[in-house]
Amino acid sequence: MTDRTDRTGATKATGRIDTVRLGQDGPEIGVQGFGAMGISEFYGATDEAAARDTLDAALEAGVTLIDTADIYGNGANEEFLAPFVAARRDEITLATKFAIERRPDEPSYRGINNDPAYIRKAAEASLRRLGVETIDLYYMHRRDPSVPFEESVGAMAELVKEGKVRYLGLSEVTGPELREAHAVHPIAALQSEWSLFSRDVERSAVAAAAELGVTFVPYSPLGRGFLTGAFADASRDLADGDFRVHQPRFTGENARRNAALLEPVRAIAAAHGATPAQIALAWVQQRSAVHGLTVVPIPGTRKRARLEENAAATRITLTDAELAALEPIAAQVAGDRYPDMRFTSLAREV
């Protein structure tokens, strides 16, 4: 990396990334986290030995926020993480999520459950699978607007009182919803998709998080891999069983149009001696300075080399001119984030 690239983000003496505080009074965590979803499902087959080595690489780099959910592999992801967590518990800030239900006899089914009794049941199951007594950060994965926050967040708050959960998080909520939930119990983190391709959270959620001192945790900061520059045609570039073949941005003419949007990303990457993925991650990281809040993206990978590449992106500072060149991209993206956008915060923006 050049001096231009190494201006901020990591402790050079150790090579570890910087730390920030989770929420207003949470633990110090690495400024970049790790999304574990792809280890168990959605992106094709996994080499388990390589995935475990990648987890070790995460802690070596100072990536300490490890993010999973009960839906990932129907609990298999939490079970996979359990030995790693047991061996390194004091080094990890462990996050998991509830609310999305699946049916064994209907693989495509996704239901949203915010019922208080279900929340308690889900938390107990996650604790068992993870082999821990306390979940550090417990997220509501998706919101069911028919269940008042007094009930759902109230039930989550009871878990905090009982010592089963330390901090609470929400995912895919609007700014007004975040404020409403925060009034029931302090929310430490908001997790939603945020990237060069997806910026709808800037409509209301980002400002609310900044106002309340809530850490923003962008998932899919690499646009599910599209921002790496590796894809142009899902039918050609993705393996069978990869869920992205059904994502609007990865299919047909949408994919071809979106691939063309990466030209400024590639040019800036070349100027920094970096990869397009690193530029995309640096852009997300710099949302912290732009919007005045703590930002901890959680890119996922199953390879040590990619983990190290992602962590190195925290050392990149983009210039004002470079940020300006990247600014128009999101407005030109073809296709929605999901085939069904009903369960996203965007569907409830007014």
Side-chain angles (χ1 to χ4, degrees):
M1 293 292 179
T2 66
D3 289 341
R4 185 184 185 196
T5 298
D6 281 336
R7 281 184 265 173
T8 188
T11 304
K12 293 183 181 179
T14 64
R16 291 169 63 86
I17 64 176
D18 280 350
T19 62
V20 292
R21 187 167 300 283
L22 175 67
Q24 293 186 322
D25 61 356
E28 288 285 318
I29 59 175
V31 75
Q32 184 181 108
F34 179 82
M37 180 184 80
I39 291 174
S40 299
E41 196 176 8
F42 304 112
Y43 291 102
T46 293
D47 180 328
E48 291 195 2
R52 294 199 180 282
D53 183 55
T54 302
L55 290 170
D56 289 337
L59 290 188
E60 291 166 14
V63 175
T64 57
L65 177 64
I66 308 298
D67 182 275
T68 183
D70 59 6
I71 188 181
Y72 302 159
N74 278 325
N77 197 255
E78 292 178 326
E79 292 173 346
F80 180 87
L81 289 174
F84 171 71
V85 172
R88 314 291 291 271
R89 186 67 185 97
D90 292 343
E91 302 172 62
I92 293 168
T93 297
L94 180 63
T96 192
K97 302 181 282 292
F98 74 90
I100 303 180
E101 288 188 294
R102 302 173 75 170
R103 293 174 178 171
D105 59 341
E106 195 176 345
S108 62
Y109 174 81
R110 299 290 186 272
I112 308 301
N113 195 334
N114 290 173
D115 181 75
Y118 172 80
I119 293 171
R120 177 168 293 278
K121 179 181 176 182
E124 296 285 0
S126 287
L127 287 165
R128 286 194 301 272
R129 286 189 292 264
L130 289 163
V132 297
E133 295 182 355
T134 306
I135 296 164
D136 296 320
L137 176 59
Y138 199 42
Y139 285 102
M140 179 189 294
H141 206 165
R142 292 291 186 273
R143 196 210 170 182
D144 176 359
S146 70
V147 180
F149 280 126
E150 288 83 355
E151 297 178 16
S152 56
V153 176
M156 296 167 73
E158 286 298 318
L159 296 171
V160 175
K161 291 179 182 177
E162 295 168 12
K164 294 176 180 177
V165 170
R166 290 193 174 93
Y167 302 96
L168 301 185
L170 301 174
S171 179
E172 290 284 355
V173 298
T174 66
E177 288 173 334
L178 176 58
R179 291 187 180 93
E180 184 182 349
H182 194 79
V184 177
H185 186 280
I187 302 299
L190 170 58
Q191 180 177 138
S192 289
E193 186 166 350
W194 198 7
S195 73
L196 279 169
F197 270 15
S198 300
R199 298 180 61 177
D200 49 81
V201 293
E202 294 174 25
R203 297 188 181 198
S204 70
V206 169
E211 172 191 324
L212 299 170
V214 174
T215 295
F216 208 106
V217 180
Y219 72 80
S220 296
L222 294 174
R224 294 180 175 80
F226 206 114
L227 287 163
T228 66
F231 307 105
D233 184 335
S235 63
R236 182 193 68 204
D237 300 329
L238 298 175
D240 292 342
D242 192 311
F243 87 116
R244 291 172 292 182
V245 299
H246 305 294
Q247 299 301 302
R249 293 178 178 177
F250 281 81
T251 57
E253 182 59 26
N254 285 350
R256 287 184 284 277
R257 288 173 59 188
N258 293 335
L261 296 177
L262 299 182
E263 288 310 308
V265 182
R266 296 181 193 278
I268 294 168
H272 281 268
T275 65
Q278 289 175 317
I279 298 307
L281 288 172
W283 181 90
V284 174
Q285 206 81 64
Q286 281 183 243
R287 299 302 90 192
S288 179
V290 171
H291 295 281
L293 78 168
T294 300
V295 177
V296 181
I298 49 169
T301 182
R302 296 172 289 186
K303 298 178 180 179
R304 171 181 281 268
R306 289 286 179 258
L307 185 287
E308 293 170 348
E309 175 186 333
N310 291 344
T314 66
R315 295 194 289 271
I316 297 173
T317 300
L318 302 175
T319 67
D320 289 345
E322 289 166 342
L323 292 173
L326 299 172
E327 184 67 21
I329 291 176
Q332 302 175 60
V333 172
D336 286 330
R337 295 197 273 130
Y338 295 101
D340 183 349
M341 291 287 287
R342 287 178 299 163
F343 302 127
T344 67
S345 58
L346 181 60
R348 299 189 303 280
E349 289 283 4
V350 295

